[in-house]
Every structure is written in C-alpha cells, then in structure tokens.
Amino acid sequence: MKAIQMSDDGLTVEDLPEPVAGADEAVVRISTAGVCHSDLHLARGDWMGIPRAGGLGHEAIGVVEALGPGAERYVQEGQRVILGLGGAGGGYWCGACRYCLGGRPRHCAQNQTVMGVFAEQYSIWAKALVPVPDNIDDNEAPLACGGLTAYSAVRKLAANGIGPGSTIGVIGAAGGLGHYAVQILEAFGYRVLGVDVGEERLDFVTSLGAERAVGPDEAAGVAGAEYGGVDAVLVFAARVAGFHLGIQMLRQQGLFVGVGLPPTSDGNFEINPFEFFWRDPTIIFSAVGTVQEMRELVALAAAGKVKTHVSRTGSLGELETIFDELESGAYLGRAVLTDLTS
C-alpha cells in the first residue's frame, strides 16, 4: 500500500506491506484524511524531543475492510467509520485506571496513539472507531481531531461554571480548530468574540455565528470595553502570543483554556504574578477528546450543526506543498487528502 513516511530528510511516499488486524483490531481502508496543524509540527520537527520517524496523519474516515478476533463486538465489515480521537491516546486506553475512569484516557499509562493514516489502509483498535451516517461526507474527516478537540474544549466550559449565554473569546477563530469551536459555541447558546488576522478571516468568523470578530491588536481592548472582559477564552492559535492575548482578554476570575501547541522555539507562556493576582483566572489545558465525545460530535454534524470548511484537497504526493500553505495561512478552515494512492 502507499503511505507517507517521515524522516529527518523530509516526507516520502513509500510502498509498505498491507496491515493485518490483530485481536480487537480492524483494518480500515482510508477514504479521506485530514491535515492537522500538529502533523505540520511533527513533520517539521517543531516540538523538541519528538523524532521525525514513521507514519504521519491521525484524522480519517474510511471503511472497515477486515476484523481481527473480537473486533466484531464493536464494528462490522463494510461500515463507514471515523478514526483518530485526536491521535494522543486514540489508539488504546485501559478503561480501568484513575484517568480512564475519570474521563481523561489520554493520560492512561497504557495509551497508544493513532499515527499513520496518510496511507491507503490503517489497522486500529476497533473500540476507538465511531460509525458515521451516510449524510456525513468523507471530507468531514478533520472532525476526528480538529472538530473533536474543539468540541472537548467547549465541553469544559460548563464543567467549569461557564454556561450558555456567557461570552467566549476564541483566538484563532478562522483556523482548522477555531472554526469548529465558533459553530459549536453558537449551537450551544454562547456569545462569541472571535479573534483572527485579516478581513477575509474575520468575515468568515462572523459567517459562522460569532457575535463579533476582531484582529489581535484590538481584541483585548474590545473585550474589556464592550464585555467587561470575556467569561472564558479558548486559545487555538499555535503561537505563544495567542496565549498571552488570551489572559489579557479575560474578566476577573475568568476561565483560560489553552488548546493550541506552539513550536518549542516560541518559548514559554508566562504570566506576571501581579496580573495573576488581579485577574485570579482558572487556567486549564484541553487536548483531544474521548470516544463518547466523538459520538456526540458526529451526531451534531449529522444534524447540520457543525460542518468542516474545506479549502484545499490533494494527494499524498502534495503533502509538503499543503504543509507550506498551511504554515503561511494560505486558506481558511482545513485541508483534506482525498487521494491516498499517489
């Protein structure tokens, strides 16, 4: 089968052996695969300590082609499924440790990642698969990470006392994750102050349902003057500057939710102790999501409440070019690989 492989020398399309389903595993023939910003960081070696080796890609929709022993308890051959769960912890979790039982399986000591769906086929733990109905298009593959990560971050608002009707700042609102968050927040009854760069991106954010969309230079001023500070901020921007802006937009005792992962070269996210004292914020991080959240998000998408904005499609061989475009902010929303054979 054809598959992307990465190394310190870059990306190559190689011929690899077809995967075989082990116990409780399913082989999925990939129909489409989403290109996530984290794939770009991995391919470019932006995160210190994470090697550039092996397969790449962690969001996909495909069809179950073969089942290993026991996998029939979870899926059937011929079933369309979405896979990924954000990659981290999306390939296995024990289900019995304190983290799994507490709804945070990505911290499970036995967790296994999903990585390598930029390929014609992929073998995965069947329990991590979620069936998708016919009215969800194959190009919705980025729901598997981008959509799920945004959904899980929004879910944490209510869990931290920030209910519908509250004003939420979304930094990176036109991006691959942020554009999902705006739609989900609007569907759940929140008010959205979106932040992004450029008139086209700001118009896009308001078209998704944001009450207001502004550039980063005016975001803190608008949040303070017009809203008294936002009740919570979701930071999807993959730059440390976005994290600093998020703190500045918050009201006192507001909720800060970090989601984007900046490159190591950006340095640390820091807060002045006196500002920390004055704002008294709750600061948390939200990464990926759970299989149950994936089921809920699929239901939202099937109901027409959430849709992936796809601006770029391509093949395996075009991935390097797509990464260049993604890094430069050349398009809104997401890119999807629709040809996994070349």
Side-chain angles (χ1 to χ4, degrees):
M1 67 167 187
K2 299 292 185 183
I4 285 287
Q5 293 287 285
M6 62 177 174
S7 70
D8 288 338
D9 295 325
L11 302 179
T12 54
V13 180
E14 299 185 11
D15 287 303
L16 300 181
E18 293 186 356
V20 176
D24 288 338
E25 291 182 344
V27 172
V28 178
R29 181 163 292 277
I30 305 300
S31 303
T32 56
V35 181
C36 183
H37 212 106
S38 60
D39 295 320
L40 166 64
H41 286 310
L42 289 168
R44 299 284 166 86
D46 288 339
W47 293 333
M48 187 179 295
I50 301 180
R52 288 183 283 178
L56 190 62
H58 58 277
E59 7 175 86
I61 286 177
V63 177
V64 176
E65 201 167 61
L67 298 175
E72 70 280 353
R73 293 175 293 170
Y74 309 113
V75 291
Q76 301 173 355
E77 287 188 28
Q79 196 167 30
R80 281 180 77 236
V81 291
I82 190 166
L83 57 152
L85 300 183
Y92 180 79
W93 58 93
C94 77
C97 69
R98 63 186 295 178
Y99 297 112
C100 287
L101 293 174
R104 300 180 299 277
R106 79 179 180 93
H107 294 306
C108 174
Q110 299 182 50
N111 80 71
Q112 297 175 18
T113 62
V114 172
M115 192 59 63
V117 304
F118 292 158
E120 293 184 80
Q121 295 168 291
Y122 188 76
S123 184
I124 186 172
W125 191 42
K127 197 172 183 178
L129 296 171
V130 173
V132 292
D134 291 340
N135 70 332
I136 291 183
D137 187 86
D138 281 347
N139 279 2
E140 294 293 334
L143 288 172
C145 175
L148 178 63
T149 300
Y151 181 77
S152 188
V154 171
R155 280 276 303 266
K156 290 177 174 63
L157 297 176
N160 284 273
I162 309 295
S166 303
T167 302
I168 313 300
V170 179
I171 299 177
L177 278 69
H179 88 286
Y180 288 119
V182 175
Q183 296 174 72
I184 296 165
L185 288 163
E186 196 276 335
F188 286 175
Y190 290 93
R191 303 169 66 193
V192 177
L193 173 60
V195 182
D196 219 301
V197 180
E199 288 303 317
E200 180 187 11
R201 301 178 77 84
L202 297 181
D203 289 344
F204 175 56
V205 172
T206 55
S207 77
L208 296 173
E211 179 175 291
R212 184 89 184 270
V214 297
D217 292 342
E218 57 180 324
V222 170
E226 299 186 21
Y227 297 94
V230 296
D231 297 296
V233 64
L234 306 177
V235 182
F236 294 101
R239 310 301 309 192
V240 166
F243 280 63
H244 292 146
L245 175 59
I247 289 291
Q248 295 165 17
M249 291 176 65
L250 278 182
R251 65 164 170 81
Q252 288 177 295
Q253 293 198 309
L255 174 67
F256 176 101
V257 184
V259 187
L261 275 177
T264 304
S265 59
D266 262 21
N268 295 327
F269 167 45
E270 300 174 346
I271 182 170
N272 181 289
F274 287 96
E275 184 174 20
F276 199 22
F277 159 76
W278 182 78
R279 291 192 190 276
D280 192 16
T282 297
I283 299 178
I284 66 173
F285 198 93
S286 181
V288 302
T290 67
V291 68
Q292 177 56 31
E293 288 174 331
M294 189 73 251
R295 295 188 189 107
E296 294 168 7
L297 179 59
V298 164
L300 272 180
K305 302 292 186 182
V306 181
K307 186 170 180 60
T308 303
H309 185 87
V310 178
S311 293
R312 176 71 153 91
T313 60
S315 64
L316 288 178
E318 295 177 89
L319 187 57
E320 284 276 23
T321 299
I322 291 173
F323 278 157
D324 289 340
E325 295 167 352
L326 177 60
E327 192 167 34
S328 67
Y331 48 76
L332 304 170
R334 298 302 301 260
V336 175
L337 299 184
T338 54
D339 179 2
L340 285 304
T341 65
S342 62

